[in-house]
Amino acid sequence: MRGDVESRLADRLAQLRIERDWSLEELASRSGISRSTLSRLERGEISPTAALLGKLCEVHGRTMSRLLAEVETEPPQVVAAGAQQVWRDESSGFVRRSVSPPHPGLRGEVVEGRLRPGADIAYDAPPVPGLEQHIWVLEGSVEITFDGRTHAVEAGDCLRFRLWGPSRFRCPGPGPVRYAIFVVLP
């Protein structure tokens, strides 16, 4: 049985497609995700990977945090640590915590990311072109690639950039990496 968040996410993905009056074929063409996978996602038969969710966010012009916030009820101003929404992509080894959920009237949000050693996630494009990111590594190290250049970011380091094209996050190990992402909409 689907969990509440997974169920609401599946429903929201279907709603977004219907709001645009797109068929599954149209969304498949725009996202590069097969029609059958999209259908299974919308029915909640499978959970999206980080890469799939990234592609859908791009097509719908949303950050991942914004999409996940849309499946919550009203986002509170203070979010206790135990109430912060956590999303896991077991296949890639990515865990994402919405530390400060997005709000329609605000442009920034804070996200915690964790990758296990060897995890490698690639995104074809940003969900919103020109998205500003500040990535502060709290523990471990991560390799972040954007604009065709790879940056090794160690514990305590902060990398900031605007994202216009593909990106990649890779945890070279030997241990996991934990980082905070400060996302600012353009």
Side-chain angles (χ1 to χ4, degrees):
M1 176 139 185
R2 298 189 299 179
D4 285 345
V5 172
E6 292 85 5
S7 178
R8 290 191 307 264
L9 180 58
D11 292 343
R12 183 62 182 141
L13 290 171
Q15 287 172 353
L16 287 169
R17 179 181 58 80
I18 291 166
E19 285 170 8
R20 287 162 178 75
D21 199 29
W22 292 344
S23 65
L24 283 171
E25 290 80 13
E26 175 72 17
L27 182 56
S29 172
R30 291 174 180 266
S31 67
I33 301 170
S34 75
R35 181 193 180 286
S36 62
T37 297
L38 291 169
S39 177
R40 293 183 69 208
L41 284 171
E42 288 184 7
R43 290 193 313 265
E45 293 174 2
I46 60 173
S47 294
T49 63
L52 284 178
L53 203 52
K55 288 180 181 185
L56 291 170
C57 286
E58 175 189 351
V59 168
H60 294 302
R62 285 166 166 70
T63 64
M64 197 177 297
S65 293
R66 189 160 303 278
L67 176 64
L68 292 173
E70 289 174 6
V71 301
E72 291 182 342
T73 51
E74 280 189 43
Q77 289 195 327
V78 174
V79 183
Q84 294 168 358
Q85 186 175 350
V86 176
W87 181 76
R88 290 173 169 72
D89 178 1
E90 298 299 338
S91 66
S92 71
F94 177 53
V95 178
R96 181 183 194 290
R97 175 184 302 276
S98 288
V99 177
S100 69
H103 185 277
L106 303 173
R107 295 181 349 175
E109 62 189 86
V110 180
V111 173
E112 177 193 48
R114 287 182 276 146
L115 294 171
R116 68 178 175 232
D120 193 343
I121 302 172
Y123 299 98
D124 294 334
V128 178
L131 189 69
E132 181 181 346
Q133 294 188 5
H134 301 252
I135 301 174
W136 179 29
V137 176
L138 304 169
E139 300 170 10
S141 64
V142 63
E143 294 175 353
I144 301 171
T145 303
F146 64 94
D147 289 340
R149 189 167 168 212
T150 300
H151 304 268
V153 190
E154 305 287 328
D157 296 347
C158 184
L159 174 67
R160 66 180 179 184
F161 56 93
R162 282 195 177 266
L163 190 57
W164 298 98
S167 62
R168 178 178 169 208
F169 287 67
R170 188 177 88 76
C171 178
V177 64
R178 185 171 72 94
Y179 52 90
I181 303 177
F182 303 89
V183 179
V184 182
L185 292 171

PDB file of all heavy atoms in Angstrom, residues 105-126:
ATOM      1  N   GLY A 105       5.155  32.839  -1.585  1.00  0.00           N
ATOM      2  CA  GLY A 105       5.570  34.235  -1.498  1.00  0.00           C
ATOM      3  C   GLY A 105       7.065  34.432  -1.301  1.00  0.00           C
ATOM      4  O   GLY A 105       7.534  35.561  -1.266  1.00  0.00           O
ATOM      5  N   LEU A 106       7.814  33.338  -1.169  1.00  0.00           N
ATOM      6  CA  LEU A 106       9.249  33.429  -0.918  1.00  0.00           C
ATOM      7  C   LEU A 106      10.031  32.733  -2.032  1.00  0.00           C
ATOM      8  O   LEU A 106       9.539  31.793  -2.639  1.00  0.00           O
ATOM      9  CB  LEU A 106       9.587  32.796   0.443  1.00  0.00           C
ATOM     10  CG  LEU A 106       8.842  33.388   1.644  1.00  0.00           C
ATOM     11  CD1 LEU A 106       9.127  32.577   2.897  1.00  0.00           C
ATOM     12  CD2 LEU A 106       9.234  34.837   1.848  1.00  0.00           C
ATOM     13  N   ARG A 107      11.256  33.181  -2.255  1.00  0.00           N
ATOM     14  CA  ARG A 107      12.050  32.609  -3.339  1.00  0.00           C
ATOM     15  C   ARG A 107      13.095  31.610  -2.877  1.00  0.00           C
ATOM     16  O   ARG A 107      13.698  30.930  -3.679  1.00  0.00           O
ATOM     17  CB  ARG A 107      12.759  33.726  -4.101  1.00  0.00           C
ATOM     18  CG  ARG A 107      11.803  34.656  -4.806  1.00  0.00           C
ATOM     19  CD  ARG A 107      12.505  35.729  -5.566  1.00  0.00           C
ATOM     20  NE  ARG A 107      13.923  35.764  -5.239  1.00  0.00           N
ATOM     21  CZ  ARG A 107      14.818  36.533  -5.807  1.00  0.00           C
ATOM     22  NH1 ARG A 107      14.439  37.339  -6.736  1.00  0.00           N
ATOM     23  NH2 ARG A 107      16.070  36.532  -5.443  1.00  0.00           N
ATOM     24  N   GLY A 108      13.360  31.517  -1.567  1.00  0.00           N
ATOM     25  CA  GLY A 108      14.425  30.646  -1.090  1.00  0.00           C
ATOM     26  C   GLY A 108      13.922  29.485  -0.262  1.00  0.00           C
ATOM     27  O   GLY A 108      12.820  29.513   0.279  1.00  0.00           O
ATOM     28  N   GLU A 109      14.749  28.461  -0.182  1.00  0.00           N
ATOM     29  CA  GLU A 109      14.461  27.305   0.643  1.00  0.00           C
ATOM     30  C   GLU A 109      15.770  26.607   0.996  1.00  0.00           C
ATOM     31  O   GLU A 109      16.784  26.819   0.334  1.00  0.00           O
ATOM     32  CB  GLU A 109      13.519  26.338  -0.062  1.00  0.00           C
ATOM     33  CG  GLU A 109      14.094  25.772  -1.335  1.00  0.00           C
ATOM     34  CD  GLU A 109      13.084  24.986  -2.155  1.00  0.00           C
ATOM     35  OE1 GLU A 109      12.375  25.605  -2.949  1.00  0.00           O
ATOM     36  OE2 GLU A 109      13.026  23.758  -1.982  1.00  0.00           O
ATOM     37  N   VAL A 110      15.729  25.794   2.043  1.00  0.00           N
ATOM     38  CA  VAL A 110      16.902  25.043   2.478  1.00  0.00           C
ATOM     39  C   VAL A 110      16.564  23.558   2.422  1.00  0.00           C
ATOM     40  O   VAL A 110      15.503  23.135   2.887  1.00  0.00           O
ATOM     41  CB  VAL A 110      17.318  25.421   3.922  1.00  0.00           C
ATOM     42  CG1 VAL A 110      18.549  24.626   4.353  1.00  0.00           C
ATOM     43  CG2 VAL A 110      17.582  26.917   4.031  1.00  0.00           C
ATOM     44  N   VAL A 111      17.494  22.793   1.858  1.00  0.00           N
ATOM     45  CA  VAL A 111      17.325  21.355   1.698  1.00  0.00           C
ATOM     46  C   VAL A 111      18.585  20.672   2.215  1.00  0.00           C
ATOM     47  O   VAL A 111      19.688  21.173   1.998  1.00  0.00           O
ATOM     48  CB  VAL A 111      17.127  21.002   0.201  1.00  0.00           C
ATOM     49  CG1 VAL A 111      17.109  19.502  -0.014  1.00  0.00           C
ATOM     50  CG2 VAL A 111      15.866  21.650  -0.346  1.00  0.00           C
ATOM     51  N   GLU A 112      18.423  19.562   2.892  1.00  0.00           N
ATOM     52  CA  GLU A 112      19.568  18.732   3.263  1.00  0.00           C
ATOM     53  C   GLU A 112      19.608  17.542   2.312  1.00  0.00           C
ATOM     54  O   GLU A 112      18.579  16.908   2.060  1.00  0.00           O
ATOM     55  CB  GLU A 112      19.434  18.216   4.696  1.00  0.00           C
ATOM     56  CG  GLU A 112      20.589  17.283   5.080  1.00  0.00           C
ATOM     57  CD  GLU A 112      20.339  16.518   6.364  1.00  0.00           C
ATOM     58  OE1 GLU A 112      19.242  15.933   6.507  1.00  0.00           O
ATOM     59  OE2 GLU A 112      21.242  16.514   7.207  1.00  0.00           O
ATOM     60  N   GLY A 113      20.795  17.265   1.769  1.00  0.00           N
ATOM     61  CA  GLY A 113      20.979  16.107   0.913  1.00  0.00           C
ATOM     62  C   GLY A 113      21.994  15.161   1.510  1.00  0.00           C
ATOM     63  O   GLY A 113      22.940  15.598   2.167  1.00  0.00           O
ATOM     64  N   ARG A 114      21.772  13.875   1.302  1.00  0.00           N
ATOM     65  CA  ARG A 114      22.733  12.856   1.724  1.00  0.00           C
ATOM     66  C   ARG A 114      22.890  11.855   0.582  1.00  0.00           C
ATOM     67  O   ARG A 114      21.899  11.450  -0.022  1.00  0.00           O
ATOM     68  CB  ARG A 114      22.247  12.136   2.987  1.00  0.00           C
ATOM     69  CG  ARG A 114      22.364  13.003   4.230  1.00  0.00           C
ATOM     70  CD  ARG A 114      21.932  12.274   5.481  1.00  0.00           C
ATOM     71  NE  ARG A 114      20.476  12.390   5.587  1.00  0.00           N
ATOM     72  CZ  ARG A 114      19.685  11.461   6.087  1.00  0.00           C
ATOM     73  NH1 ARG A 114      20.168  10.343   6.539  1.00  0.00           N
ATOM     74  NH2 ARG A 114      18.383  11.665   6.148  1.00  0.00           N
ATOM     75  N   LEU A 115      24.127  11.503   0.318  1.00  0.00           N
ATOM     76  CA  LEU A 115      24.430  10.501  -0.700  1.00  0.00           C
ATOM     77  C   LEU A 115      25.327   9.441  -0.080  1.00  0.00           C
ATOM     78  O   LEU A 115      26.267   9.767   0.647  1.00  0.00           O
ATOM     79  CB  LEU A 115      25.173  11.123  -1.890  1.00  0.00           C
ATOM     80  CG  LEU A 115      24.418  12.125  -2.749  1.00  0.00           C
ATOM     81  CD1 LEU A 115      25.372  12.788  -3.735  1.00  0.00           C
ATOM     82  CD2 LEU A 115      23.307  11.414  -3.501  1.00  0.00           C
ATOM     83  N   ARG A 116      25.069   8.187  -0.390  1.00  0.00           N
ATOM     84  CA  ARG A 116      25.939   7.128   0.086  1.00  0.00           C
ATOM     85  C   ARG A 116      27.174   7.053  -0.816  1.00  0.00           C
ATOM     86  O   ARG A 116      27.141   7.565  -1.958  1.00  0.00           O
ATOM     87  CB  ARG A 116      25.195   5.798   0.135  1.00  0.00           C
ATOM     88  CG  ARG A 116      24.819   5.259  -1.232  1.00  0.00           C
ATOM     89  CD  ARG A 116      24.115   3.906  -1.109  1.00  0.00           C
ATOM     90  NE  ARG A 116      23.676   3.475  -2.419  1.00  0.00           N
ATOM     91  CZ  ARG A 116      22.464   3.091  -2.713  1.00  0.00           C
ATOM     92  NH1 ARG A 116      21.532   3.069  -1.795  1.00  0.00           N
ATOM     93  NH2 ARG A 116      22.154   2.723  -3.934  1.00  0.00           N
ATOM     94  N   PRO A 117      28.258   6.455  -0.352  1.00  0.00           N
ATOM     95  CA  PRO A 117      29.469   6.352  -1.178  1.00  0.00           C
ATOM     96  C   PRO A 117      29.159   5.684  -2.522  1.00  0.00           C
ATOM     97  O   PRO A 117      28.446   4.680  -2.573  1.00  0.00           O
ATOM     98  CB  PRO A 117      30.408   5.481  -0.336  1.00  0.00           C
ATOM     99  CG  PRO A 117      29.926   5.639   1.064  1.00  0.00           C
ATOM    100  CD  PRO A 117      28.439   5.835   0.961  1.00  0.00           C
ATOM    101  N   GLY A 118      29.654   6.273  -3.587  1.00  0.00           N
ATOM    102  CA  GLY A 118      29.430   5.749  -4.930  1.00  0.00           C
ATOM    103  C   GLY A 118      28.157   6.244  -5.591  1.00  0.00           C
ATOM    104  O   GLY A 118      27.957   6.035  -6.781  1.00  0.00           O
ATOM    105  N   ALA A 119      27.284   6.912  -4.841  1.00  0.00           N
ATOM    106  CA  ALA A 119      26.038   7.418  -5.430  1.00  0.00           C
ATOM    107  C   ALA A 119      26.368   8.469  -6.485  1.00  0.00           C
ATOM    108  O   ALA A 119      27.283   9.266  -6.332  1.00  0.00           O
ATOM    109  CB  ALA A 119      25.146   8.022  -4.355  1.00  0.00           C
ATOM    110  N   ASP A 120      25.623   8.439  -7.573  1.00  0.00           N
ATOM    111  CA  ASP A 120      25.877   9.316  -8.715  1.00  0.00           C
ATOM    112  C   ASP A 120      24.524   9.681  -9.326  1.00  0.00           C
ATOM    113  O   ASP A 120      23.821   8.810  -9.836  1.00  0.00           O
ATOM    114  CB  ASP A 120      26.741   8.571  -9.733  1.00  0.00           C
ATOM    115  CG  ASP A 120      27.317   9.463 -10.805  1.00  0.00           C
ATOM    116  OD1 ASP A 120      26.821  10.598 -10.986  1.00  0.00           O
ATOM    117  OD2 ASP A 120      28.260   9.013 -11.462  1.00  0.00           O
ATOM    118  N   ILE A 121      24.149  10.950  -9.245  1.00  0.00           N
ATOM    119  CA  ILE A 121      22.856  11.397  -9.759  1.00  0.00           C
ATOM    120  C   ILE A 121      23.089  12.479 -10.801  1.00  0.00           C
ATOM    121  O   ILE A 121      23.772  13.468 -10.539  1.00  0.00           O
ATOM    122  CB  ILE A 121      21.970  11.966  -8.640  1.00  0.00           C
ATOM    123  CG1 ILE A 121      21.746  10.921  -7.559  1.00  0.00           C
ATOM    124  CG2 ILE A 121      20.634  12.439  -9.197  1.00  0.00           C
ATOM    125  CD1 ILE A 121      21.059  11.463  -6.337  1.00  0.00           C
ATOM    126  N   ALA A 122      22.504  12.293 -11.971  1.00  0.00           N
ATOM    127  CA  ALA A 122      22.625  13.280 -13.049  1.00  0.00           C
ATOM    128  C   ALA A 122      21.247  13.841 -13.368  1.00  0.00           C
ATOM    129  O   ALA A 122      20.259  13.109 -13.423  1.00  0.00           O
ATOM    130  CB  ALA A 122      23.237  12.640 -14.281  1.00  0.00           C
ATOM    131  N   TYR A 123      21.195  15.153 -13.576  1.00  0.00           N
ATOM    132  CA  TYR A 123      19.967  15.844 -13.970  1.00  0.00           C
ATOM    133  C   TYR A 123      20.193  16.445 -15.351  1.00  0.00           C
ATOM    134  O   TYR A 123      21.217  17.094 -15.589  1.00  0.00           O
ATOM    135  CB  TYR A 123      19.619  16.950 -12.965  1.00  0.00           C
ATOM    136  CG  TYR A 123      19.380  16.447 -11.566  1.00  0.00           C
ATOM    137  CD1 TYR A 123      20.382  16.498 -10.608  1.00  0.00           C
ATOM    138  CD2 TYR A 123      18.145  15.929 -11.200  1.00  0.00           C
ATOM    139  CE1 TYR A 123      20.164  16.034  -9.321  1.00  0.00           C
ATOM    140  CE2 TYR A 123      17.913  15.464  -9.909  1.00  0.00           C
ATOM    141  CZ  TYR A 123      18.938  15.516  -8.979  1.00  0.00           C
ATOM    142  OH  TYR A 123      18.723  15.057  -7.708  1.00  0.00           O
ATOM    143  N   ASP A 124      19.255  16.251 -16.245  1.00  0.00           N
ATOM    144  CA  ASP A 124      19.387  16.761 -17.615  1.00  0.00           C
ATOM    145  C   ASP A 124      19.346  18.274 -17.697  1.00  0.00           C
ATOM    146  O   ASP A 124      19.969  18.872 -18.555  1.00  0.00           O
ATOM    147  CB  ASP A 124      18.290  16.178 -18.514  1.00  0.00           C
ATOM    148  CG  ASP A 124      18.417  14.682 -18.703  1.00  0.00           C
ATOM    149  OD1 ASP A 124      19.547  14.159 -18.586  1.00  0.00           O
ATOM    150  OD2 ASP A 124      17.392  14.033 -18.966  1.00  0.00           O
ATOM    151  N   ALA A 125      18.568  18.886 -16.820  1.00  0.00           N
ATOM    152  CA  ALA A 125      18.400  20.340 -16.837  1.00  0.00           C
ATOM    153  C   ALA A 125      17.860  20.772 -15.477  1.00  0.00           C
ATOM    154  O   ALA A 125      17.303  19.961 -14.746  1.00  0.00           O
ATOM    155  CB  ALA A 125      17.420  20.745 -17.940  1.00  0.00           C
ATOM    156  N   PRO A 126      18.008  22.049 -15.139  1.00  0.00           N
ATOM    157  CA  PRO A 126      17.436  22.507 -13.870  1.00  0.00           C
ATOM    158  C   PRO A 126      15.916  22.567 -13.971  1.00  0.00           C
ATOM    159  O   PRO A 126      15.370  22.743 -15.059  1.00  0.00           O
ATOM    160  CB  PRO A 126      18.028  23.907 -13.705  1.00  0.00           C
ATOM    161  CG  PRO A 126      18.309  24.366 -15.094  1.00  0.00           C
ATOM    162  CD  PRO A 126      18.674  23.125 -15.864  1.00  0.00           C
TER     163      PRO A 126
END
